[in-house]
């Protein structure tokens, strides 16, 4: 697919897409692969009528689009066909055009599953309840004994709770303060909020000491080490940060887009260069920003 000429377009669709890292990552990768594709950021504010976005996605020079906050659930709903993971999660971070139709994929789920490595979790605490949290929850299906969910939006918490219940999990929705009180009992803490984008932010769960068996998963990437990751490392805990997630979800796109096999190695080198240079923009979620 990557040999098409003239240039074909890929997008990142999100409320702050131009501040995210995907264009800076994929642009050099596509260039090094000798591709005629270009990758562009497309800022689409929350609450905007999305019918025009779908129409633009069906233009003949469009290949695909990553989707980030707050449009992942829209992406799942607007697609003509969806993968089983998208159907279950109700969220998509990748739309691929096929003629006059769109197919929805969720490489966030693939990334979380890879980075968690199939570990059993006695208690997962999910901070945030958007698309990133949905991906993490689906990746945990069959692996978590108990899940506690929270979001500053009670409706989002209830929706994530319903998803957990549909996956057969023992789950409860609590307030933000109550979730932080649960943190010391957790074996997994997932930060699926923007907390950490600012170097002034505290760890997502607060300042409590965590259990020695806790794994910390932070969807946020930035030019600094987030407080969530710094606190996890200070306690000697294993963790995955937003850069790890960005790499894993981008690598999962390679076969879907039909890119050359060497794309994975190019992707890894490019991400190392960007991270080493202090590049960073916001959170992840595709994507690239949480939610």
């Amino acid at each position: 697919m990557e040999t098409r000429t003239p240039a074909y377009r890929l997008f990142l669709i999100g409320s702050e897409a131009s501040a995210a890292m995907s264009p800076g990552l994929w642009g050099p990768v596509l260039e090094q692969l000798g591709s005629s594709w270009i990758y562009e950021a497309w800022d689409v504010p929350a609450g905007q009528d999305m019918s025009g976005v779908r129409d633009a996605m069906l233009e003949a020079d469009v290949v695909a689009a990553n989707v980030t906050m707050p449009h992942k659930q829209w992406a799942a709903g607007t697609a003509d066909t969806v993968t089983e993971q998208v159907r279950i999660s109700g969220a998509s971070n990748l739309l691929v055009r096929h003629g006059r139709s769109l197919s929805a994929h969720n490489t966030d789920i693939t990334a979380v599953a890879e980075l968690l490595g199939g570990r059993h979790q006695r208690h997962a605490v999910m901070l945030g309840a958007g698309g990133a949290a949905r991906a993490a929850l689906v990746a945990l299906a069959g692996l978590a004994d108990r899940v506690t969910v929270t979001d500053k939006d009670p409706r989002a918490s209830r929706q994530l709770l319903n998803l957990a219940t549909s996956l057969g999990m023992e789950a409860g929705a609590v307030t933000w303060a109550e979730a932080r009180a649960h943190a010391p009992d957790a074996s997994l803490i997932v930060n699926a909020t923007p907390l950490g984008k600012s170097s002034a932010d505290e760890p997502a769960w607060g300042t409590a000491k965590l259990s020695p068996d806790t794994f910390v998963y932070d969807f946020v990437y930035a030019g600094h080490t987030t407080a969530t990751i710094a606190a996890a490392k200070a306690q000697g805990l294993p963790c995955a940060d937003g850069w790890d997630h960005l790499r894993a979800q981008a690598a999962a796109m390679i076969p879907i887009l039909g890119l050359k096999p060497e794309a994975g190695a190019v992707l890894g080198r490019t991400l190392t260069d960007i991270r080493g240079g202090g590049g960073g923009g916001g959170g992840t979620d595709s994507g690239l920003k949480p939610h």
Side-chain angles (χ1 to χ4, degrees):
M1 292 174 66
E2 71 275 22
T3 59
R4 295 182 188 179
T5 56
Y8 279 68
R9 296 181 295 162
L10 296 95
F11 293 102
L12 173 65
I13 297 171
S15 61
E16 299 179 32
S18 58
M21 186 53 61
S22 283
L25 172 62
W26 280 106
V29 169
L30 295 169
E31 183 177 357
Q32 290 179 58
L33 291 173
S35 172
S36 61
W37 293 358
I38 56 175
Y39 195 108
E40 303 173 350
W42 187 357
D43 290 323
V44 180
Q48 178 173 316
D49 179 5
M50 300 297 285
S51 59
V53 177
R54 177 183 165 85
D55 289 343
M57 276 292 302
L58 294 174
E59 292 179 6
D61 64 343
V62 173
V63 176
N66 282 129
V67 183
T68 186
M69 65 179 295
H71 303 308
K72 290 187 176 185
Q73 287 165 276
W74 163 81
T78 199
D80 300 285
T81 60
V82 301
T83 65
E84 182 67 3
Q85 289 181 324
V86 171
R87 185 192 67 78
I88 294 170
S89 67
S92 166
N93 73 324
L94 177 62
L95 291 172
V96 180
R97 184 182 67 84
H98 305 279
R100 296 294 299 172
S101 66
L102 300 173
S103 64
H105 305 261
N106 194 316
T107 64
D108 284 332
I109 297 173
T110 307
V112 175
E114 174 193 327
L115 293 169
L116 290 183
R119 300 177 187 87
H120 172 263
Q121 302 294 342
R122 54 179 175 74
H123 182 196
V125 173
M126 312 290 296
L127 303 172
R134 284 174 169 269
L137 199 59
V138 172
L140 286 168
L143 297 174
D145 291 340
R146 177 184 168 208
V147 178
T148 297
V149 305
T150 192
D151 193 276
K152 293 184 178 180
D153 178 355
R155 184 181 66 170
S157 289
R158 289 193 297 271
Q159 291 174 342
L160 193 65
L161 176 63
N162 291 339
L163 175 59
T165 302
S166 74
L167 292 170
M169 298 176 173
E170 177 187 340
V174 298
T175 66
W176 187 261
E178 289 169 338
R180 287 186 160 193
H182 280 286
D185 177 58
S187 65
L188 173 67
I189 292 178
V190 176
N191 178 33
T193 79
L195 280 172
K197 289 169 61 177
S198 168
S199 59
D201 289 340
E202 67 175 353
W205 71 85
T207 57
K209 183 172 178 58
L210 303 178
S211 173
D213 68 339
T214 303
F215 189 100
V216 175
Y217 199 112
D218 188 3
F219 276 92
V220 174
Y221 64 79
H224 57 271
T225 299
T226 67
T228 295
I229 294 298
K233 290 182 175 180
Q235 295 187 35
L237 301 175
C239 54
D241 67 9
W243 294 96
D244 297 321
H245 180 82
L246 177 59
R247 174 200 57 77
Q249 69 82 24
M253 290 170 53
I254 291 171
I256 298 172
L257 296 178
L259 291 168
K260 297 175 180 177
E262 58 265 35
V266 176
L267 183 72
R269 291 194 299 269
T270 302
L271 188 55
T272 297
D273 290 343
I274 293 171
R275 189 172 188 176
T284 62
D285 223 32
S286 128
L288 302 144
K289 294 193 175 192
H291 289 331

